[in-house]
Amino acid sequence: MKNSIKELESIAKKIRCDIVKMIGPNKAGHLGGSCSIADVVTVLYFYKMKHDPKNPKMPERDRFLLSKGHSALVQYAALAESGYFPVEELLTLKKLGSRLQGHPDMLKLPGIEANTGSLGQGLSIAAGMAAAGKIDKLAYKVYCVVGDGEIAEGQIWEAAMSASFYKLDNLIAILDKNCLQATGCIAERFNNQSPQ
């Protein structure tokens, strides 16, 4: 079922609230990087992607990879709101024994397609999944969100060139241009200017 724009706005707001609740007071977490892609993730999970929480491994499902795995909170919130696991479990974030850790783990949580977080690797994994879809003649799409800080990694560009060469029109890369990376503003860290 496709949601209306008003419904999508409401879901995105709920996802942002879930992110804030997961971090809670005095806890570490990537609040900005998670919230900056809440609208995109909402549209993918609740409007665009073909997926089924009751059958998370169906072969023809669309795939979502969060290359910037440190922003896993937004994916956890979307998965919970979609029905992959109870929303109450979000409050176990980073607790001992929780399935919800700082980076997504495909072996612990349904709906996670790959372990991500080593920046630059997500797009390569996504390209491999897209190529597999072509080879297997399955009509799924692979969506991959990359951060604007991580695009300084050479592997991102190698994956993009490979995707072009192999005509992976079932791969959609989405850049989260929030102008920040772990150590500060991108303009101050990696702005294509000569070092001083």
Side-chain angles (χ1 to χ4, degrees):
M1 180 172 114
K2 303 277 186 185
N3 290 290
S4 70
I5 291 174
K6 279 214 175 295
E7 290 168 325
L8 291 170
E9 288 172 346
S10 176
I11 294 167
K13 187 182 290 185
K14 177 79 172 91
I15 284 174
R16 284 189 181 92
C17 287
D18 288 342
I19 292 166
V20 171
K21 287 177 190 173
M22 277 187 270
I23 292 177
N26 303 319
K27 284 191 196 171
H30 292 273
L31 179 66
S34 295
C35 286
S36 66
I37 55 171
D39 292 326
V40 168
V41 170
T42 298
V43 169
L44 290 176
Y45 275 97
F46 297 92
Y47 185 79
K48 197 76 177 151
M49 287 185 0
K50 176 178 48 184
H51 65 103
D52 183 358
K54 294 182 176 117
N55 186 10
K57 292 291 184 188
M58 72 177 182
E60 59 280 348
R61 74 191 179 282
D62 289 331
R63 277 87 166 145
F64 174 78
L65 276 90
L66 186 58
S67 187
K68 48 182 253 158
H70 57 278
S71 297
L73 284 68
V74 69
Q75 188 174 17
Y76 295 157
L79 289 170
E81 294 296 338
S82 295
Y84 282 85
F85 60 89
V87 173
E88 296 76 29
E89 190 174 343
L90 293 174
L91 298 179
T92 70
L93 178 74
K94 295 186 183 179
K95 291 184 180 172
L96 190 61
S98 173
R99 299 189 296 174
L100 311 176
Q101 291 302 318
H103 290 145
D105 186 337
M106 64 186 275
L107 299 177
K108 293 184 179 174
L109 200 62
I112 301 293
E113 297 291 343
N115 297 358
T116 58
S118 292
L119 294 177
Q121 294 181 355
L123 191 58
S124 292
I125 297 168
M129 288 179 174
K134 293 279 191 185
I135 292 166
D136 294 340
K137 296 182 178 17
L138 292 171
Y140 63 76
K141 297 203 180 301
V142 182
Y143 298 89
C144 182
V145 172
V146 297
D148 53 356
E150 91 176 283
I151 62 170
E153 297 283 347
Q155 188 171 346
I156 289 285
W157 300 104
E158 292 170 15
M161 289 185 297
S162 174
S164 174
F165 180 80
Y166 289 107
K167 300 181 180 7
L168 300 179
D169 58 355
N170 57 339
L171 172 63
I172 298 94
I174 301 165
L175 175 66
D176 178 26
K177 188 175 185 234
N178 62 17
C179 301
L180 298 170
Q181 57 185 153
T183 56
C185 296
I186 289 174
E188 296 170 1
R189 304 299 186 264
F190 192 81
N191 199 26
N192 297 325
Q193 296 179 9
S194 301
Q196 298 178 4

